[in-house]
Amino acid sequence: MLLLAGPTDTGKSTLALRLLEKAKEAYLLDLDPGQGALPGAFTLFHYREGTLTPLRRYLLGALSPRGMEAQAVVGALRLARLIPKGSPAVADTDGYLDPGFRLLQIEALVPAEVLVLGWEELYQALSWRRDLRARLAPPLQGVRRKTPAERRKNRLERLLAHFQEARPRPLPLGHMPAYPMEPPESQRLYGLLDGEGFLLGYGRLLAWAGDKGLFLTPVGEEVAKVVPTRLLFPIPALPG
């Protein structure tokens, strides 16, 4: 596995796609919960002949691993274990600039190589290691820095695409912790998990009574658990 690390807007995602194109068939471990494929989640993709197919998702439930570092490491490791041994893979990480967290993530994933884009501090923390190949490279040329508004717009577009085929569905709320608050919030997204703890997709709570809830969700599979997230989706209507 090649792990890409560095600040935001240094070209990690662009480089990951270029590398996949050269490999023709490989795996992509999307570990950016803020600007990745599905906000608030990690996704494992299979890449073949120009097509990315999502295989499994892990719910982080936030747009950054800050304050959720242990869960983020566990999620990345669970997805990485699904990659067939010996298969080429690229891990595209987020721009959270905490060397301690990134080093912990690297120790868990055990990549064959780490390419650090524009982050001297992390490179220096790795360069002395004999058991790990680390390289430092400048940010990709031509990468434009996105504004906060553009980032919010990108996240909203991806969530809208996720809900494109959404339909109302009754689901048991079950025993949920007081986090984020009680009673349940209609503007907060809920993660719908399968029996192995992987994310099937999101649901937006339309109505509830007792331990039952009516969710707007694109998920049609069997749901084992409903989990509240830190993600808000404050719009009056969704597709479907």
Side-chain angles (χ1 to χ4, degrees), residues 112-116 122-123 126-127 129 132-136:
E113 182 176 354
V114 178
L115 179 58
V116 183
L122 180 64
Y123 173 71
L126 295 169
S127 60
R129 295 272 296 269
L132 177 67
R133 184 182 180 190
R135 289 188 293 157
L136 178 65

Side-chain angles (χ1 to χ4, degrees), residues 37 59 225:
L59 176 68
K225 188 174 180 60

Side-chain angles (χ1 to χ4, degrees), residues 195-217:
E196 296 180 341
F198 289 110
L199 177 66
L200 296 168
Y202 289 123
R204 186 184 182 199
L205 189 61
L206 301 176
W208 68 90
D211 62 352
K212 303 290 185 181
L214 180 65
F215 290 85
L216 185 65
T217 178

Side-chain angles (χ1 to χ4, degrees), residues 18-206:
R18 291 178 183 176
L19 293 171
L20 290 174
E21 290 170 358
K22 290 184 178 181
K24 295 184 179 180
E25 183 173 4
Y27 290 85
L28 171 64
L29 188 55
D30 175 7
L31 300 178
D32 187 346
Q35 292 295 302
L38 184 62
F42 298 154
T43 307
L44 175 64
F45 290 95
H46 178 243
Y47 177 88
R48 184 176 183 180
E49 298 179 352
T51 301
L52 278 172
T53 303
L55 300 178
R56 291 287 192 281
R57 286 194 166 102
Y58 182 87
L59 176 68
L60 186 64
L63 300 176
S64 168
R66 183 187 299 273
M68 306 180 72
E69 288 86 352
Q71 184 177 342
V73 170
V74 169
L77 183 56
R78 288 204 65 194
L79 291 175
R81 285 174 174 168
L82 300 176
I83 300 174
K85 188 175 181 180
S87 299
V90 179
D92 180 17
T93 65
D94 64 285
Y96 180 36
L97 297 182
D98 182 328
F101 165 69
R102 198 62 64 201
L103 289 171
L104 182 61
Q105 185 183 59
I106 291 170
E107 289 294 333
L109 294 178
V110 196
E113 182 176 354
V114 178
L115 179 58
V116 183
L117 299 177
W119 191 4
E120 178 75 24
E121 183 182 7
L122 180 64
Y123 173 71
Q124 292 299 332
L126 295 169
S127 60
W128 62 275
R129 295 272 296 269
R130 295 182 179 179
D131 62 331
L132 177 67
R133 184 182 180 190
R135 289 188 293 157
L136 178 65
L140 289 189
Q141 293 184 354
V143 175
R144 186 178 63 84
R145 190 167 186 81
K146 303 180 188 70
T147 66
E150 288 175 317
R151 293 181 180 280
R152 288 192 296 270
K153 182 174 180 291
N154 287 342
R155 287 193 291 267
L156 179 60
E157 288 176 348
R158 288 169 180 170
L159 286 173
L160 284 171
H162 178 67
F163 277 92
Q164 193 63 45
E165 303 297 327
R167 295 291 185 271
R169 179 182 179 182
L171 290 169
L173 291 172
H175 176 69
M176 293 193 295
Y179 157 76
M181 67 175 294
E182 294 290 349
E185 292 183 276
S186 61
Q187 292 185 351
R188 190 172 299 277
L189 290 183
Y190 290 76
L192 309 184
L193 308 184
D194 66 13
E196 296 180 341
F198 289 110
L199 177 66
L200 296 168
Y202 289 123
R204 186 184 182 199
L205 189 61
L206 301 176

